[in-house]
Amino acid sequence: MFKFSKLTRSNYLSSLDTTKEELLQIFKLAKLFKSNSLSIDLKNKVLGLIFDKSSTRTRVSFQVAMSRLGGTTIDLNPLTSQIGRGETIKDTARVLSKYCDVLAIRTFNQSTLEEYTKWSSKPIINALTDLEHPCQALADFFTIQEEFTNFDDVVLTFIGDGNNVANSIILCGALCGAEIRIACPPGYEPDSLIIERAKEINHNFSLVITNDINDAVINANVLYTDVWSSMGEENLKENKDKDFEGFTIDSELLNKADKTAIVLHCLPAYRGKEITDEIIDHDRSRIFQQAENRMHVQQALLACLLQ
Ligand code: CP
Ligand code: NVA
């Protein structure tokens, strides 16, 4: 039986809520879960899912992860619970944490999650906010580890908007020790506090923020992209489509990266916008392996929070 420790922090709101050692432990566990070499019993444990935004991967991978661990999930649709009618987070969190053992929440502001943690007696997991998507970053770096083994040798170039997905990649990259390059149009650079925190936790962290995608992909081992307009930004779509013109991962760009480079995308994708059809389905794409890995890393995360 693989011995593992509970996470030091009781919530997982940010990619910085684990140490490097804890992150590597999650990857070890995920590998064992993926190869069906480990079973952990979370019988009678209940995960509540509160999603203020749509989701396919995060919702379903959490449901299946919990079921594989022997536990159950409750889908707490805010529209059909009292949350949608304005019941306070304070009251909601106090009540739900009496029923559930852990809550995964997808919402807009990071401060909403922080408010939940103030009143919940059980762990809160960030299932995506406008600031971070740490569960996604777990799957991303686990997928990279499967391909390259040693993070110190990896250059990851993210091409797109410097928001939630990019922010968690920066923080997780700083923890792992990979080089991270963010290529975005002017005005779409990542949050300066995220950059500051990443540099604080890793003084040797190599982080490049640039508006030049061609420069950014030279010698890159991983090309990564995300949608140009995130959930909640539907009204900005027309302008953002113009601003991001040219920031597409296509075969010409892939050819400028390292010849063994792989391609990642958190999905859902707008094929033909941030990434071409050809690249999503390319033999260097690991996008569907990355999506599968959401389930394995979240199984590991739940085990480390609840065991
Ligand atoms: N990548 C991701 O979080 O996908 P969903 O929005 O489908 O959950
Ligand atoms: N940046 C995207 C990620 C979706 C998984 C969004 O927030 O909509």
Side-chain angles (χ1 to χ4, degrees), residues 128 133 163-165 226-227 230-231 267:
L128 180 145
H133 197 1
N163 67 354
N164 46 15
V165 169
D226 179 16
V227 290
S230 287
M231 290 179 276
L267 298 177

Side-chain angles (χ1 to χ4, degrees), residues 19 36 44 137 159 223 229 233 247 262 268:
T19 59
N36 292 318
N44 297 331
I159 296 153
L223 300 192
S229 299
E233 294 187 332
F247 284 76
I262 60 166

Side-chain angles (χ1 to χ4, degrees), residues 159-208:
I159 296 153
D161 198 358
N163 67 354
N164 46 15
V165 169
N167 287 340
S168 284
I169 286 173
I170 291 174
L171 295 176
C172 213
L175 269 186
C176 292
E179 174 173 333
I180 306 294
R181 301 177 189 162
I182 307 289
C184 59
Y188 293 100
E189 288 80 8
D191 192 292
S192 55
L193 281 178
I194 294 276
I195 297 174
E196 227 172 86
R197 284 293 287 124
K199 291 187 173 165
E200 261 167 36
I201 61 137
N202 179 351
H203 297 297
N204 299 317
F205 182 39
S206 175
L207 175 66
V208 177

Side-chain angles (χ1 to χ4, degrees), residues 49-54 59 76-79 83-84 105-109 112 116 231:
L49 300 169
I50 304 174
F51 279 51
D52 286 333
K53 297 177 178 177
S54 309
R59 183 197 304 278
L76 296 153
N77 181 344
L79 291 178
I83 301 170
I105 303 175
R106 169 169 287 200
T107 191
F108 294 86
N109 298 320
T112 305
Y116 267 100
M231 290 179 276

